[in-house]
């Protein structure tokens, strides 16, 4: 049976359950936030990939000191050995006196008072203990984790949107019940009013009907206010533009045939289980990275440099290789490796333990589905019984063999039976949703 929430909005937009859930997934803040996390994790993975390429860096320096950084002085005459002075004696007679005097004075030399230094180099890691490879794998795991967390966020948003939907449907069904009760009481009231005028019924019967009508009017007001509030809540949660919308839905119960899943097979498809598996994978990679941090690292590189420190432009290229061996780090590093091994073991045991809990959750969710389905069937039978009871009491009252209070009690029981069926149907839909999410459907 197809139903819709009209409530006066004849030309309002009509939404199905799937449309509301789709709107919530596109507009809800929690989903937008989860998408940002996925994009951030993707950028982190791309950042880790750049570690495979050479690290290129450039340096430049200009300086001007208050005095030269390299200064010295020397005396040529003191540096000349006696044998050389004797052999050069004839030559000194040919030199002018000023030159001979200069030989006896000290000579000062200064360098690098100002200058420019510049260079560029590229360093390519050759071996880093597996840190780069495992770091990239860990970044990929991080991206997978963010996607699984986004899936969990989507499940939660869908669950909340569907709960809101069936709350609205439940209120609408109760509104239908109230409208049916109003029509019935109006008919009874007309009959009683005629009977009172004819003197075959007491005025007290009419007052009882009117009191019951007042109670129904109060219930209608509460339902109208509840529907108005639910529209506002759904509009905010699903990102709708206004609150003047209606929903359409089926009130027929879905059969349980073919719904139950094998727990072990369903376990592998749940986001929770896969998330636990990623935690184990991340713990294993972190252990490998800890080991790699205590292994030697090798890199090769090439560079080009320029300087004018000696008052001349000098440029040159070079190639080089570096080897870094952590020695004292092994002391603390060995404890870090042991700690990572313990964390890995803990993640594996947590995976096994939580896997059992997830299967228990599936079974519990299925038990709830079966129970709510049986409650729905009982509620349906109660409606049939209450409807027959109401028919009989109305016939008995019209025949003058029962009291008005008995008829109104039968009407109340029928209304309560309808409301219980409505609540049972909404609860059944929610239990089905919980089971589908528990089994990763």
């Amino acid at each position: 049976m197809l139903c819709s929430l009209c409530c006066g909005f004849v030309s309002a937009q009509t939404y199905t359950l799937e449309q509301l859930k789709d709107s919530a997934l596109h507009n809800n803040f929690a989903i937008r936030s989860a998408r940002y996390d996925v994009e951030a994790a993707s950028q982190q993975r791309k950042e880790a990939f750049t570690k495979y390429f050479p690290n290129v860096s450039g340096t430049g320096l200009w300086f001007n000191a208050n005095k030269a950084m390299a200064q010295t002085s020397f005396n040529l005459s003191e540096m000349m050995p006696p044998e050389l002075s004797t052999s050069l004696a004839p030559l000194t007679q040919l030199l002018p006196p000023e030159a001979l005097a200069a030989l006896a004075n000290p000579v000062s030399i200064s360098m690098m008072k100002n200058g420019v230094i510049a260079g560029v180099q590229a360093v390519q890691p050759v071996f880093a203990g597996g840190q780069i490879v495992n770091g990239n794998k860990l970044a990929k795991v991080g991206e997978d984790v963010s996607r699984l967390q986004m899936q969990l966020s989507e499940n939660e948003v869908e669950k909340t949107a569907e709960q809101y939907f069936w709350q609205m449907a439940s209120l609408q069904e109760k509104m239908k019940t109230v409208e049916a009760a109003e029509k019935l009481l109006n008919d009874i009231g007309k009959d009683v009013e005629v009977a009172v005028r004819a003197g075959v019924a007491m005025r007290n019967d009419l007052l009882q009907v009117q009191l019951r009508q007042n109670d129904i009017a109060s219930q209608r007001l509460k339902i109208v206010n509840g529907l108005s509030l639910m529209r506002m809540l759904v509009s905010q949660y699903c990102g709708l533009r206004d609150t003047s919308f209606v929903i359409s839905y089926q009130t027929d119960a879905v059969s349980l045939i073919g719904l139950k899943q094998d727990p072990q097979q369903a376990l592998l498809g749940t986001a929770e289980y896969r998330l636990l598996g990623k935690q184990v994978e991340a713990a294993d990679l972190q252990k490998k990275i800890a080991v790699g941090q205590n292994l030697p690292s090798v890199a090769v590189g090439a560079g080009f440099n320029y300087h004018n420190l000696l008052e001349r432009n000098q440029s040159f290229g070079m190639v080089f290789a570096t080897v870094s061996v952590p020695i004292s780090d092994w002391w603390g590093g060995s404890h870090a490796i042991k700690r990572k091994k313990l964390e890995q073991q803990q993640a594996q045991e947590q995976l096994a333990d939580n896997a059992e809990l997830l299967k228990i959750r599936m079974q519990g969710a299925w038990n709830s589905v079966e129970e709510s389905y049986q409650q729905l069937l009982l509620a349906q039978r109660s409606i049939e019984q209450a409807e027959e009871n109401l028919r009989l009491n109305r016939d008995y009252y019209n025949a003058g063999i029962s009291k008005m209070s008995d008829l109104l009690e039968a009407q109340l029981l029928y209304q309560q039976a309808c409301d219980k069926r409505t609540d049972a149907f909404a609860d059944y839909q929610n239990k089905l949703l919980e089971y589908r999410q528990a089994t990763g459907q």
Side-chain angles (χ1 to χ4, degrees):
M1 179 170 53
L2 184 65
C3 301
S4 62
L5 301 185
C6 295
C7 295
F9 296 99
V10 177
S11 60
Q13 176 68 45
T14 301
Y15 293 102
T16 63
L17 173 59
E18 294 303 321
Q19 287 174 329
L20 281 182
K21 290 196 294 186
D22 184 67
S23 180
L25 291 176
H26 283 85
N27 299 295
N28 189 268
F29 171 75
I31 300 301
R32 294 200 303 270
S33 179
R35 289 196 185 101
Y36 292 144
D37 291 338
V38 171
E39 181 60 27
S42 176
Q43 295 300 324
Q44 186 174 11
R45 176 183 58 81
K46 294 176 181 178
E47 176 187 354
F49 184 74
T50 62
K51 302 300 181 182
Y52 284 116
F53 300 99
N55 182 13
V56 180
S57 61
T59 58
L61 172 66
W62 172 87
F63 67 93
N64 186 18
N66 62 338
K67 59 182 179 179
M69 289 185 286
Q71 300 183 71
T72 186
S73 61
F74 56 89
N75 193 318
L76 292 176
S77 62
E78 293 178 356
M79 296 173 62
M80 190 178 301
E83 297 80 4
L84 182 60
S85 300
T86 304
S87 61
L88 294 178
L91 181 62
T92 56
Q93 296 177 0
L94 300 177
L95 295 174
E98 295 81 2
L100 294 175
L103 292 175
N105 295 328
V107 177
S108 298
I109 298 177
S110 64
M111 295 182 296
M112 295 187 296
K113 182 177 182 300
N114 51 54
V116 175
I117 302 174
V120 61
Q121 64 179 7
V123 180
Q124 173 64 54
V126 177
F127 177 76
Q131 295 182 70
I132 297 177
V133 174
N134 292 320
N136 274 268
K137 291 180 180 179
L138 185 60
K140 180 62 171 62
V141 170
E143 185 178 14
D144 294 338
V145 167
S146 66
R147 294 187 184 280
L148 289 172
Q149 289 175 337
M150 180 176 175
Q151 183 176 341
L152 291 176
S153 297
E154 289 176 346
N155 291 344
E156 187 62 29
V157 168
E158 285 187 344
K159 179 180 178 180
T160 302
E162 187 158 343
Q163 287 175 339
Y164 287 164
F165 181 90
W166 290 117
Q167 286 179 28
M168 288 187 65
S170 177
L171 288 171
Q172 174 59 19
E173 291 302 309
K174 290 182 179 180
M175 177 63 76
K176 290 182 178 181
T177 302
V178 165
E179 290 173 349
E182 286 178 334
K183 184 178 183 303
L184 175 62
L185 290 173
N186 288 336
D187 293 342
I188 293 175
K190 291 177 182 178
D191 294 340
V192 172
E193 189 173 357
V194 171
V196 169
R197 291 176 181 174
V200 295
M202 299 177 61
R203 184 169 178 77
N204 183 56
D205 290 348
L206 182 59
L207 291 176
Q208 291 184 55
V209 174
Q210 291 173 344
L211 287 173
R212 183 62 184 151
Q213 287 175 325
N214 292 338
D215 183 55
I216 293 295
S218 176
Q219 293 180 28
R220 169 187 275 274
L221 179 61
K222 291 180 180 179
I223 293 174
V224 169
N225 290 336
L227 281 171
S228 177
L229 184 62
M230 283 305 304
R231 282 196 180 90
M232 294 174 63
L233 188 59
V234 171
S235 178
Q236 184 277 330
Y237 195 79
C238 299
L240 305 181
R241 295 182 178 179
D242 55 54
T243 58
S244 58
F245 64 91
V246 296
I247 64 173
S248 62
Y249 54 92
Q250 296 285 341
T251 58
D252 298 329
V254 179
S255 173
L256 296 183
I257 299 176
L259 290 180
K260 189 174 183 180
Q261 303 288 318
D262 178 66
Q264 187 60 41
Q265 289 297 115
L267 178 66
L268 303 178
T270 61
E272 292 87 347
Y273 182 78
R274 286 183 289 163
L275 191 59
L276 290 169
K278 291 298 178 181
Q279 291 178 354
V280 174
E281 188 177 349
D284 180 63
L285 291 171
Q286 288 172 347
K287 183 198 70 174
K288 292 179 180 179
I289 291 175
V291 172
Q293 290 173 344
N294 292 277
L295 294 177
S297 60
V298 180
V300 296
F304 182 80
N305 300 278
Y306 162 84
H307 72 84
N308 61 357
L309 300 179
L310 301 177
E311 305 298 334
R312 294 179 58 188
N313 295 328
Q314 297 287 337
S315 60
F316 60 93
M318 65 176 179
V319 294
F320 58 89
T322 64
V323 179
S324 176
V325 181
I327 298 176
S328 62
D329 288 350
W330 263 104
W331 189 7
S334 61
H335 297 292
I337 294 173
K338 291 178 181 178
R339 175 168 53 85
K340 293 299 181 181
K341 287 182 179 179
L342 291 174
E343 292 176 356
Q344 181 191 23
Q345 182 65 29
Q346 182 183 21
Q348 290 175 338
E349 294 182 3
Q350 186 178 11
L351 172 63
D353 183 63
N354 286 359
E356 295 301 319
L357 292 177
L358 287 173
K359 287 191 284 187
I360 293 174
R361 173 192 169 193
M362 293 178 194
Q363 186 59 47
W366 178 252
N367 292 343
S368 296
V369 169
E370 289 185 318
E371 179 182 347
S372 62
Y373 184 71
Q374 293 301 321
Q375 293 288 351
L376 180 58
L377 295 180
L378 288 173
Q380 185 62 44
R381 286 199 293 270
S382 296
I383 288 179
E384 296 170 359
Q385 294 165 355
E387 187 176 15
E388 178 63 15
N389 180 56
L390 176 60
R391 186 188 67 80
L392 291 174
N393 274 277
R394 188 168 186 180
D395 291 343
Y396 294 158
Y397 179 79
N398 291 334
I401 58 177
S402 71
K403 298 181 294 184
M404 174 56 68
S405 59
D406 294 334
L407 177 57
L408 294 179
E409 178 68 19
Q411 183 275 324
L412 178 61
L413 290 175
Y414 175 73
Q415 181 179 349
Q416 290 176 345
C418 291
D419 288 343
K420 285 183 179 179
R421 198 273 178 187
T422 296
D423 293 336
F425 179 76
D427 182 66
Y428 177 60
Q429 296 297 328
N430 288 326
K431 292 299 188 294
L432 280 177
L433 172 63
E434 291 175 5
Y435 179 72
R436 289 196 299 269
Q437 292 194 345
T439 52
Q441 297 181 58

